[in-house]
Amino acid sequence: MIAIPDQLDLHRYAREGGPPLALTTNPMGHALNTRIRRADVQAEIVELLYEPGKMFMQGAGVLQGGAVSTMLDFAMAFCVLLALPEGYSCSTTNLNVNLLRAAKPGRYVAIGQPERRGRQLAHTRATLFLEDEPDRLIATATSTLLITKLKTPS
C-alpha cells in the first residue's frame, strides 16, 4: 500500500503519543520547525507547533502572511490525512484565511478540525495562536480539500 510519510507520522503519533514529534519528511514543515503536538483520530483534530525562523519575517518584524497561511493549511490538511486510510491523500482546492492581528516572532500552535467530510471533498477549519497566548487568535482559516486515492507506481 502506498503511504505518505506525513500521514504515517500522524498515525504513529496518534497511536503512541509522546513528546511533540518533529515533522522532518516535508521540506516546508521542516523549514517552519513543525512538530505534531496532538493527533486525535476519534475527533480528527490535529495540533501542530511551529517556530518559524527569520526567513519568514517581513520588513516590519512580523511573520509574512504566506507563512501564516501555510501553518493553517498544514493543520487542515493534516486533520484530513489523519482521518484517511493509507493509500489516500488530499490536496487543498480552496483556502480562505483571515489575518486577525500581526504575527510577532514566537512559538505558534495551529489546530485543524473537520467541518464535514464526504467521499471526495473535506471541509475544514483551523485557528492559529501564540502558544503562550491561546486566547488571542492570530488567524483563522477554512479550506476545501480534494480526497484522492494514490496510484501505485508502474
Side-chain angles (χ1 to χ4, degrees):
M1 180 74 49
I2 300 173
I4 300 167
D6 294 340
Q7 186 183 38
L8 293 174
D9 284 348
L10 278 168
H11 283 273
R12 187 176 80 240
Y13 190 80
R15 282 190 314 273
E16 300 170 9
L21 176 66
L23 184 63
T24 58
T25 57
N26 184 302
M28 180 60 87
H30 182 69
L32 286 165
N33 297 308
T34 308
R35 289 180 307 287
I36 302 167
R37 179 167 96 167
R38 179 179 175 210
D40 185 328
V41 175
Q42 301 286 350
E44 298 177 9
I45 293 174
V46 170
E47 291 184 16
L48 301 175
L49 291 173
Y50 300 96
E51 289 188 66
K54 291 180 183 179
M55 72 183 290
F56 296 105
M57 297 296 169
Q58 48 109 312
V62 296
L63 286 175
Q64 194 271 342
V68 171
S69 299
T70 299
M71 291 187 284
L72 291 160
D73 188 38
F74 263 117
M76 292 182 288
F78 275 31
C79 81
V80 175
L81 282 175
L82 183 64
L84 295 176
E86 286 184 26
Y88 286 83
S89 185
C90 62
S91 52
T92 303
T93 62
N94 177 283
L95 176 63
N96 181 27
V97 177
N98 298 300
L99 302 168
L100 306 174
R101 57 180 39 95
K104 58 188 178 184
R107 190 167 158 163
Y108 284 86
V109 176
I111 301 174
Q113 299 176 282
E115 287 188 334
R116 181 178 176 289
R117 183 167 51 90
R119 288 183 305 174
Q120 293 184 320
L121 294 176
H123 302 274
T124 61
R125 67 182 179 279
T127 55
L128 182 75
F129 52 88
L130 280 164
E131 185 178 36
D132 59 354
E133 297 179 28
D135 295 330
R136 286 179 48 98
L137 287 179
I138 299 299
T140 62
T142 57
S143 72
T144 303
L145 296 102
L146 178 66
I147 298 169
T148 55
K149 185 171 176 60
L150 297 173
K151 296 181 180 174
T152 307
S154 25

